[in-house]
Amino acid sequence: MAKSLFDKIWDAHVVKAIPGGLEVFYIDRHLIHEVTSPQAFDELQERGLPLSRPGQILATADHNVPTRNQHLPIEDPLSRSQVDKLTENCEKFGVELFGLGHQYQGIVHVIGPELGVTQPGMTIVCGDSHTSTHGAFGAIAFGIGTSQVTQVMASQCLLISRPKRMRITVDGALQPGVTAKDIILHIIARLGTGGATGYFVEYAGSAIRGLSMEGRMTVCNMSIEMGARGGLIAPDATTFEYLQGRPYAPQGERWEQAVDYWQTLYSEEGAEFESELSFDAAAITPMITYGTNPGMGIALNGNIPVLGTDGEAASFDKSLAYMGFAPGESLLGKEINYVFIGSCTNSRIEDLRAVAAYVKGKHKAQHVEAIIVPGSKLVEKQAIAEGIDQVLAEAGFELREPGCSACLAMNDDKIPAGAYCVSTSNRNFEGRQGPGARTLLASPLVAAITAVEGRIVDITQYLN
Amino acid sequence: MEKFQTLRSGVVPLPIENVDTDQIIPARFLKATTREGFGQNLFADWRYQPDGQPKADFVLNNPRYQGQILLAGKNFGCGSSREHAAWALYDAGFKVVISSYFADIFRGNALNTGLLPLQVSDEVLQGLFRQIELEPETQLVVDLPSQTLSVPVWDATIGFELDAYKKECLINGYDDIDYLVSQRDAIKTYEQLRKWVF
């Protein structure tokens, strides 16, 4: 029977099926960070269990770290203690750690791919819902809770049931100014924030194949925002070219063998999907969100819908009241206070290049605070090598040090209550960027143009 | 994990859809390195003013609604994978969350915490919201062995679905770790046989 990409990888990782539908599912790579791992390490020790496969775990500090003065001790005592605990646990259990100050430190979903740790055909988990990012390489990657982190530490396996399969095909050519971020915001706006719950999504079609690895990561990253466990894209020449020569990628003869295997990873003609959707790439416009979940998105020059269905009306009204917007209105002309460019969705070198290309020779609006946070030390280094840091400084943007930063307001970087922030991150939930903060999700290009104009504009007028 | 068999309790209604785990427990409260104490910050930004005073209009601050069952709008627990959300609900005394569907990761985290995610139809959910609004003191009975939710005031019993293995785990207070560790030999054999490691 014709097999899907998802089934090929999933089947290859089933250690054992148990009656009732659950499977003992093998995990190739386990990524950990300071926030969701301490309780798991403690649990392991309380039960007197060894760490099953320390060599298959990689750790970094990202959620809690400051993005200024990383060479100094972390000021916040709770954050410092959590980061210290990670260091202590990694030393005790023999786990490789890219902590603060390390040349490879960065956001866990940025460093895995850029180091070549993430490879096609793998199963990858992390105590973070945006683990779906790694699916861009043709891997089954998904976020897990801390109890499951403990399970993988103890056994290198999870006890889980197989999700349903969905394929989303995006065919055609993108309009100027439309990026990977707009594709995924468009899809989520159509499906809603729970529309893919229970599914694992394969993204296919010419518009997806035409994306760079960075763009594919942006798309897969936000799969969770429509409820999907994860998203993945069949590996191809773009994938192999990106991976070749990266520090943890296979070398020499092993590289050749790996590519031979990776080339078998695609959905065969006639493979079954429980749900299939298609989108016309040419119909996608630059997007922005207006509400408090990522499904509440509209075309940048469109209007906020007038009402949801009856059952949804109360939640919809609550959301608009929080944002300070009215049903049916346009966002064009709305003044913006903050622009945040960063997060595991859009903090890679391609994102920084897109911003720099637009803002070169321009300056941010006086009233806007524009923060740009590279996803990793390697991205930061590359940006400096290309002179992007200079371009940004001249445009009045502040280039920070790597971390999750204002995506989740758990570190020092927060947006004040009531302020509007155009953000390249993945979540516009109430308070996500700080209590009372109002988040509008958009692409790095939209964010850059907004920073310069100081208000929401129809970006198609600003492209040359 | 504590055992769960039967619960008779009042209900706390939260008729909001797509409640995300950032609302259940905001990220700034995730800095603890133990599992305890998250309950005091459950729904922190809906529950407290910036100065820490309770917000009178939030249901957890309303003495009319008491109980260990949270009744919530569809797609409860979407967003971040933080298990702290399930810990916070459990720590605050909740044993059951009823909704018309749950986000996948939250559902798994709840089951691993000993908190029962009980899924009902949209129709039943709306009926329950109306019932609690009319009679806030309404009691519900959740019986896990028979997989039923009873609404005595309606004289009705509604079945709910749950994976048989997960049900056994909840009833007996087991978690997945013991089972997975017992599979070590099978896992080792799998590791020796697989070919696609480069």
Side-chain angles (χ1 to χ4, degrees):
Chain A
M1 204 176 85
K3 261 186 160 183
S4 68
L5 165 64
F6 175 80
D7 284 328
K8 285 177 181 174
I9 305 172
W10 187 279
D11 289 348
H13 288 84
V14 175
V15 172
K16 184 179 171 180
I18 62 172
L22 289 173
E23 290 170 318
V24 177
F25 186 72
Y26 193 82
I27 302 303
D28 293 316
R29 288 268 194 271
H30 187 190
L31 309 171
I32 62 171
H33 60 83
E34 75 277 21
V35 181
T36 55
S37 70
Q39 293 89 349
F41 277 116
D42 283 354
E43 180 85 29
L44 210 59
Q45 291 177 91
E46 277 161 27
R47 292 177 185 237
L49 292 168
L51 181 59
S52 173
R53 298 286 178 266
Q56 287 170 238
I57 309 187
L58 188 66
T60 192
D62 55 5
H63 283 63
N64 233 330
V65 303
T67 56
R68 277 197 277 228
N69 295 320
Q70 287 186 347
H71 61 290
L72 299 176
I74 301 176
E75 275 181 34
D76 177 57
L78 289 173
S79 298
R80 188 171 65 236
S81 120
Q82 211 172 44
V83 172
D84 287 350
K85 181 101 181 169
L86 179 70
T87 310
E88 203 179 286
N89 280 327
C90 287
E91 278 169 11
K92 193 188 291 180
F93 287 90
V95 171
E96 189 161 26
L97 167 68
F98 300 143
L100 277 189
H102 194 283
Q103 61 165 338
Y104 291 157
Q105 181 267 337
I107 304 174
V108 64
H109 310 310
V110 174
I111 68 171
E114 77 182 2
L115 294 173
V117 170
T118 302
Q119 294 164 23
M122 281 183 168
T123 53
I124 302 171
V125 294
C126 174
D128 188 286
S129 59
H130 293 112
T131 308
S132 57
T133 311
H134 306 265
F137 292 79
I140 289 183
F142 53 93
I144 56 176
T146 297
S147 292
Q148 292 177 309
V149 171
T150 318
Q151 292 163 25
V152 179
M153 285 179 171
S155 68
Q156 206 56 35
C157 286
L158 287 170
L159 194 56
I160 49 174
S161 56
R162 186 183 294 238
K164 291 181 284 188
R165 296 150 298 189
M166 178 185 286
R167 179 160 60 187
I168 296 179
T169 305
V170 188
D171 274 320
L174 295 171
Q175 302 286 342
V178 176
T179 68
K181 184 65 165 284
D182 303 298
I183 297 177
I184 191 66
L185 284 175
H186 179 91
I187 293 171
I188 300 168
R190 182 79 63 85
L191 269 78
T193 189
T197 302
Y199 289 92
F200 214 98
V201 179
E202 178 179 346
Y203 300 97
S206 61
I208 299 292
R209 283 196 303 275
L211 295 173
S212 65
M213 288 315 295
E214 284 86 350
R216 295 178 189 188
M217 284 188 254
T218 300
V219 170
C220 289
N221 173 275
M222 291 192 72
S223 304
I224 183 73
E225 309 309 338
M226 49 188 178
R229 281 310 301 266
L232 80 175
I233 295 170
D236 60 11
T238 306
T239 320
F240 309 145
E241 195 184 316
Y242 177 98
L243 279 173
Q244 194 163 22
R246 300 214 173 235
Y248 287 75
Q251 315 287 336
E253 199 182 319
R254 282 172 57 239
W255 171 260
E256 303 300 328
Q257 290 167 356
V259 172
D260 282 348
Y261 169 59
W262 295 343
Q263 281 172 335
T264 69
L265 299 174
Y266 58 90
S267 287
E268 291 162 12
E269 189 73 37
E272 268 184 56
F273 293 86
E274 281 86 352
S275 174
E276 283 246 37
L277 293 167
S278 350
F279 290 84
D280 173 12
I284 302 174
T285 62
M287 295 287 294
I288 194 156
T289 64
Y290 62 88
T292 56
N293 72 56
M296 301 176 84
I298 50 173
L300 195 51
N301 54 9
N303 289 67
I304 295 175
V306 171
L307 253 196
T309 61
D310 285 350
E312 287 160 356
S315 302
F316 182 81
D317 291 349
K318 181 179 188 307
S319 183
L320 284 197
Y322 179 86
M323 292 301 292
F325 294 146
E329 77 172 332
S330 160
L331 294 177
L332 296 179
K334 296 273 181 200
E335 197 171 282
I336 294 300
N337 318 96
Y338 287 80
V339 167
F340 169 64
I341 295 159
S343 87
C344 57
T345 314
N346 282 120
S347 63
R348 299 180 178 82
I349 192 65
E350 183 181 279
D351 302 315
L352 271 63
R353 283 179 190 143
V355 173
Y358 182 79
V359 304
K360 190 173 179 149
K362 302 186 181 76
H363 201 274
K364 71 168 183 73
Q366 202 72 40
H367 66 275
V368 171
E369 195 167 313
I371 308 162
I372 184 158
V373 184
S376 69
K377 291 303 279 183
L378 288 179
V379 171
E380 180 188 46
K381 191 174 159 191
Q382 183 67 26
I384 292 168
E386 294 180 19
I388 289 174
D389 57 330
Q390 284 304 316
V391 172
L392 294 172
E394 283 161 21
F397 283 60
E398 188 186 356
L399 181 65
R400 299 278 189 90
E401 293 169 276
C404 297
S405 186
C407 173
L408 85 169
M410 126 161 248
N411 43 67
D412 302 336
D413 305 341
K414 294 181 175 66
I415 307 302
Y420 287 101
C421 177
V422 168
S423 176
T424 69
S425 54
N426 39 56
R427 289 190 173 134
N428 50 354
F429 297 151
E430 281 186 36
R432 172 78 178 184
Q433 297 195 287
R438 292 156 160 172
T439 304
L440 295 88
L441 302 174
S443 72
L445 179 63
V446 169
I449 298 175
T450 307
V452 171
E453 298 303 319
R455 60 199 167 89
I456 309 280
V457 295
D458 177 2
I459 69 156
T460 55
Q461 315 285 314
Y462 294 78
L463 302 170
N464 41 25
Chain B
M1 203 167 79
E2 278 179 47
K3 296 179 183 179
F4 186 107
Q5 291 264 355
T6 309
L7 175 73
R8 183 186 178 94
S9 166
V11 177
V12 177
L14 188 65
I16 301 172
E17 297 177 344
N18 307 314
V19 172
D20 59 80
T21 54
D22 273 83
Q23 304 319 312
I24 301 173
I25 183 93
R28 63 186 185 280
F29 299 116
L30 306 186
K31 296 183 184 186
T33 52
T34 61
R35 284 176 182 245
E36 291 78 34
F38 290 102
Q40 60 179 323
N41 293 314
L42 174 69
F43 295 116
D45 291 338
W46 286 346
R47 190 170 162 195
Y48 305 113
Q49 310 279 3
D51 66 0
Q53 291 302 309
K55 287 184 182 174
D57 62 351
F58 186 62
V59 69
L60 287 191
N61 299 323
N62 186 340
R64 287 176 71 198
Y65 302 104
Q66 301 281 343
Q68 295 180 293
I69 299 175
L70 182 71
L71 184 68
K74 72 175 184 192
N75 195 25
F76 186 81
C78 60
S80 156
S81 64
R82 61 191 69 168
E83 193 164 316
H84 311 64
W87 300 342
L89 286 160
Y90 198 80
D91 193 53
F94 290 104
K95 298 276 186 268
V96 176
V97 183
I98 301 177
S99 182
S100 55
Y101 74 90
F102 295 90
D104 285 336
I105 306 180
F106 176 82
R107 179 199 298 274
N109 287 342
L111 289 167
N112 285 331
T113 301
L115 175 72
L116 175 65
L118 196 161
Q119 188 166 328
V120 295
S121 68
D122 265 326
E123 202 184 0
V124 168
L125 185 72
Q126 296 314 322
L128 287 170
F129 275 127
R130 280 193 298 273
Q131 173 63 33
I132 304 303
E133 198 182 343
L134 284 170
E135 297 177 87
E137 67 286 355
T138 303
Q139 298 266 309
L140 303 181
V141 181
V142 177
D143 186 68
L144 187 54
S146 66
Q147 288 179 237
T148 54
L149 168 69
S150 302
V151 191
V153 71
W154 292 351
D155 200 18
T157 296
I158 301 148
F160 63 86
E161 288 187 17
L162 187 65
D163 175 81
Y165 168 85
K166 285 292 179 189
K167 175 178 162 181
E168 284 304 304
C169 284
L170 274 179
I171 290 175
N172 296 300
Y174 300 151
D175 61 31
D176 296 345
I177 296 175
D178 294 328
Y179 178 79
L180 285 168
V181 169
S182 78
Q183 297 301 306
R184 265 191 189 142
D185 289 346
I187 296 167
K188 248 184 208 157
T189 307
Y190 167 86
E191 285 176 325
Q192 284 156 2
L193 292 177
R194 69 199 183 122
K195 305 182 200 81
W196 40 86
V197 184
F198 303 102

